[in-house]
mmCIF file of all heavy atoms in Angstrom:
data_model
loop_
_atom_site.group_PDB
_atom_site.id
_atom_site.type_symbol
_atom_site.label_atom_id
_atom_site.label_comp_id
_atom_site.label_asym_id
_atom_site.label_seq_id
_atom_site.Cartn_x
_atom_site.Cartn_y
_atom_site.Cartn_z
ATOM 1 N N THR A 263 118.216 99.279 109.629
ATOM 2 C CA THR A 263 117.297 98.748 108.618
ATOM 3 C C THR A 263 115.891 98.541 109.158
ATOM 4 O O THR A 263 114.918 98.688 108.429
ATOM 5 C CB THR A 263 117.809 97.418 108.044
ATOM 6 O OG1 THR A 263 118.107 96.551 109.117
ATOM 7 C CG2 THR A 263 119.025 97.633 107.183
ATOM 8 N N ILE A 264 115.798 98.213 110.451
ATOM 9 C CA ILE A 264 114.465 97.923 110.981
ATOM 10 C C ILE A 264 113.511 99.125 110.885
ATOM 11 O O ILE A 264 112.408 98.986 110.374
ATOM 12 C CB ILE A 264 114.549 97.374 112.421
ATOM 13 C CG1 ILE A 264 115.097 95.947 112.363
ATOM 14 C CG2 ILE A 264 113.195 97.375 113.101
ATOM 15 C CD1 ILE A 264 115.296 95.301 113.704
ATOM 16 N N PRO A 265 113.937 100.313 111.330
ATOM 17 C CA PRO A 265 113.012 101.437 111.191
ATOM 18 C C PRO A 265 112.645 101.707 109.736
ATOM 19 O O PRO A 265 111.507 102.061 109.427
ATOM 20 C CB PRO A 265 113.811 102.632 111.742
ATOM 21 C CG PRO A 265 114.923 102.047 112.506
ATOM 22 C CD PRO A 265 115.195 100.692 111.967
ATOM 23 N N LEU A 266 113.587 101.481 108.835
ATOM 24 C CA LEU A 266 113.324 101.698 107.418
ATOM 25 C C LEU A 266 112.228 100.756 106.930
ATOM 26 O O LEU A 266 111.313 101.160 106.201
ATOM 27 C CB LEU A 266 114.623 101.463 106.634
ATOM 28 C CG LEU A 266 114.710 102.084 105.246
ATOM 29 C CD1 LEU A 266 114.462 103.577 105.320
ATOM 30 C CD2 LEU A 266 116.084 101.810 104.645
ATOM 31 N N ALA A 267 112.334 99.511 107.361
ATOM 32 C CA ALA A 267 111.325 98.521 106.959
ATOM 33 C C ALA A 267 109.950 98.901 107.504
ATOM 34 O O ALA A 267 108.944 98.834 106.798
ATOM 35 C CB ALA A 267 111.733 97.138 107.440
ATOM 36 N N ARG A 268 109.918 99.320 108.783
ATOM 37 C CA ARG A 268 108.630 99.707 109.374
ATOM 38 C C ARG A 268 108.063 100.949 108.692
ATOM 39 O O ARG A 268 106.878 101.054 108.441
ATOM 40 C CB ARG A 268 108.782 99.968 110.874
ATOM 41 C CG ARG A 268 109.140 98.744 111.708
ATOM 42 C CD ARG A 268 107.996 97.746 111.799
ATOM 43 N NE ARG A 268 107.957 96.826 110.660
ATOM 44 C CZ ARG A 268 108.770 95.774 110.523
ATOM 45 N NH1 ARG A 268 109.637 95.488 111.446
ATOM 46 N NH2 ARG A 268 108.695 95.015 109.459
ATOM 47 N N LEU A 269 108.947 101.875 108.346
ATOM 48 C CA LEU A 269 108.510 103.097 107.664
ATOM 49 C C LEU A 269 107.823 102.743 106.350
ATOM 50 O O LEU A 269 106.769 103.282 106.015
ATOM 51 C CB LEU A 269 109.704 104.014 107.400
ATOM 52 C CG LEU A 269 109.401 105.256 106.559
ATOM 53 C CD1 LEU A 269 108.571 106.253 107.358
ATOM 54 C CD2 LEU A 269 110.680 105.924 106.070
ATOM 55 N N THR A 270 108.425 101.809 105.611
ATOM 56 C CA THR A 270 107.818 101.405 104.341
ATOM 57 C C THR A 270 106.453 100.805 104.557
ATOM 58 O O THR A 270 105.497 101.150 103.864
ATOM 59 C CB THR A 270 108.666 100.338 103.646
ATOM 60 O OG1 THR A 270 110.012 100.563 103.961
ATOM 61 C CG2 THR A 270 108.453 100.377 102.173
ATOM 62 N N ASP A 271 106.356 99.893 105.518
ATOM 63 C CA ASP A 271 105.057 99.298 105.823
ATOM 64 C C ASP A 271 104.025 100.386 106.068
ATOM 65 O O ASP A 271 102.913 100.356 105.551
ATOM 66 C CB ASP A 271 105.145 98.422 107.083
ATOM 67 C CG ASP A 271 105.870 97.123 106.795
ATOM 68 O OD1 ASP A 271 106.181 96.879 105.617
ATOM 69 O OD2 ASP A 271 106.137 96.381 107.748
ATOM 70 N N TRP A 272 104.458 101.379 106.840
ATOM 71 C CA TRP A 272 103.536 102.446 107.202
ATOM 72 C C TRP A 272 103.126 103.254 105.969
ATOM 73 O O TRP A 272 101.961 103.581 105.779
ATOM 74 C CB TRP A 272 104.199 103.343 108.248
ATOM 75 C CG TRP A 272 103.317 104.467 108.693
ATOM 76 C CD1 TRP A 272 102.282 104.388 109.579
ATOM 77 C CD2 TRP A 272 103.381 105.830 108.272
ATOM 78 N NE1 TRP A 272 101.697 105.615 109.726
ATOM 79 C CE2 TRP A 272 102.351 106.515 108.940
ATOM 80 C CE3 TRP A 272 104.207 106.528 107.395
ATOM 81 C CZ2 TRP A 272 102.125 107.871 108.750
ATOM 82 C CZ3 TRP A 272 103.989 107.880 107.206
ATOM 83 C CH2 TRP A 272 102.958 108.529 107.880
ATOM 84 N N LEU A 273 104.120 103.554 105.119
ATOM 85 C CA LEU A 273 103.828 104.330 103.910
ATOM 86 C C LEU A 273 102.830 103.604 103.021
ATOM 87 O O LEU A 273 101.875 104.191 102.507
ATOM 88 C CB LEU A 273 105.115 104.563 103.109
ATOM 89 C CG LEU A 273 106.044 105.645 103.622
ATOM 90 C CD1 LEU A 273 107.315 105.686 102.778
ATOM 91 C CD2 LEU A 273 105.351 106.999 103.580
ATOM 92 N N ILE A 274 103.055 102.300 102.864
ATOM 93 C CA ILE A 274 102.170 101.510 102.014
ATOM 94 C C ILE A 274 100.758 101.498 102.583
ATOM 95 O O ILE A 274 99.777 101.730 101.889
ATOM 96 C CB ILE A 274 102.693 100.065 101.874
ATOM 97 C CG1 ILE A 274 104.024 100.083 101.135
ATOM 98 C CG2 ILE A 274 101.695 99.198 101.140
ATOM 99 C CD1 ILE A 274 104.772 98.773 101.227
#
Side-chain angles (χ1 to χ4, degrees):
Chain A
T263 52
I264 288 177
L266 201 56
R268 294 290 85 78
L269 174 71
T270 328
D271 286 354
W272 181 78
L273 282 176
I274 295 167

